[in-house]
Amino acid sequence: EVQLVESGGGLVQPGSPLKLSCAASGFTFSSNWLNWIRQAPGKGLEWVASINPDGSSTYYPDTVKGRFVVSKDNAKNTGYLQMNNLRSEDTAMYYCARAYDGTPSWFAYWGQGTLVTVSS
Amino acid sequence: DIQMTQSPSSLPASLGERVTISCRASQGISNNLNWYQQKPDGTIKPLIYYTSNLQSGVPSRFSGSGSGTDYSLTISSLEPEDFAMYYCQQDASFPTFGAGTKLELK
């Protein structure tokens, strides 16, 4: 059974960094794209990062480009989202999602999310 | 970026009713359109990929259709567990989502 478990969320001050983790099991982690999607309180879903199976290519929307860095450790079956210079508008539930085999962004499996709150 | 316009934002409906949710892309997306269901506890479940393909385990009362810029999700006969939020998402380019439709009990 595919499982994705996010961790690392919490309350941080504006301008602070925070690193999220996504522990994966039940599939060959090195074979699939990994994505991060967030949802601000009461709002819709927003894609924030993608990384290809071997970790050599990453993609971001303009809203986080230059501040967020996605990575994956295929030996540890874990993905990461390093978030720097956090802003209040980054407050959201952050989900990691595994793409379907051979696709970058059909999000076939989702974790339960980890909550990030940016506030002074 | 491709913008996704989803409608309606809220859809009151009754058990057993047939409902349709629409999604329009700002440009053609060549059937690269997916649908997701989100329950109040935050759990997100993929429903349909590439316009009309049901994810494994999704009941057959769910169906998807469309082409070009216009797509839709239809639930043929509402069950209690179907009342939730629904989102469309395109992956023809960097992924973007519709704003969501809240399917609620009338």
Side-chain angles (χ1 to χ4, degrees):
Chain A
E1 179 192 6
V2 173
Q3 284 201 314
L4 299 165
V5 180
E6 302 93 338
S7 61
L11 172 64
V12 295
Q13 293 190 333
S16 299
L18 191 66
K19 188 172 186 176
L20 307 182
S21 298
C22 172
S25 61
F27 66 101
T28 304
F29 188 67
S30 59
S31 296
N32 294 93
W33 286 72
L34 188 71
N35 300 270
W36 290 87
I37 296 108
R38 69 183 179 185
Q39 185 173 39
K43 302 297 184 181
L45 300 168
E46 179 189 16
W47 165 75
V48 294
S50 292
I51 186 166
N52 70 341
D54 68 7
S56 61
S57 297
T58 57
Y59 303 89
Y60 310 90
D62 288 343
T63 50
V64 307
K65 193 178 295 182
R67 298 190 300 124
F68 288 14
V69 178
V70 60
S71 62
K72 63 193 313 249
D73 185 333
N74 287 338
K76 294 183 177 179
N77 288 345
T78 302
Y80 304 96
L81 185 67
Q82 175 69 48
M83 303 184 294
N84 299 317
N85 190 20
L86 282 163
R87 306 165 179 168
S88 59
E89 55 264 36
D90 296 317
T91 293
M93 183 71 78
Y94 283 75
Y95 298 92
C96 67
R98 193 209 97 174
Y100 189 73
D101 296 349
T103 72
S105 54
W106 171 46
F107 309 125
Y109 300 92
W110 296 66
Q112 290 298 308
T114 186
L115 182 62
V116 173
T117 303
V118 184
S119 175
S120 55
Chain B
D1 292 1
I2 298 176
Q3 309 301 317
M4 304 302 294
T5 302
Q6 191 173 336
S7 61
S9 58
S10 176
L11 180 54
S14 304
L15 289 171
E17 189 173 342
R18 177 186 179 94
V19 297
T20 297
I21 298 168
S22 298
C23 197
R24 173 168 289 177
S26 59
Q27 63 191 73
I29 54 172
S30 303
N31 292 108
N32 290 291
L33 192 285
N34 311 311
W35 292 96
Y36 303 88
Q37 177 193 68
Q38 185 177 32
K39 291 294 184 74
D41 69 355
T43 302
I44 297 173
K45 176 182 177 181
L47 296 176
I48 288 173
Y49 63 99
Y50 201 65
T51 297
S52 59
N53 296 277
L54 255 61
Q55 168 77 329
S56 176
V58 173
S60 59
R61 62 181 180 272
F62 289 88
S63 64
S65 64
S67 64
T69 60
D70 294 325
Y71 299 85
S72 62
L73 171 71
T74 297
I75 309 172
S76 60
S77 180
L78 284 170
E79 297 285 338
E81 60 269 27
D82 299 336
F83 292 94
M85 286 292 295
Y86 291 85
Y87 293 93
C88 63
Q89 175 242 334
Q90 65 79 21
D91 62 342
S93 67
F94 285 166
T96 49
F97 291 87
T101 294
K102 185 175 184 180
L103 180 56
E104 51 192 0
L105 190 59
K106 187 185 292 182

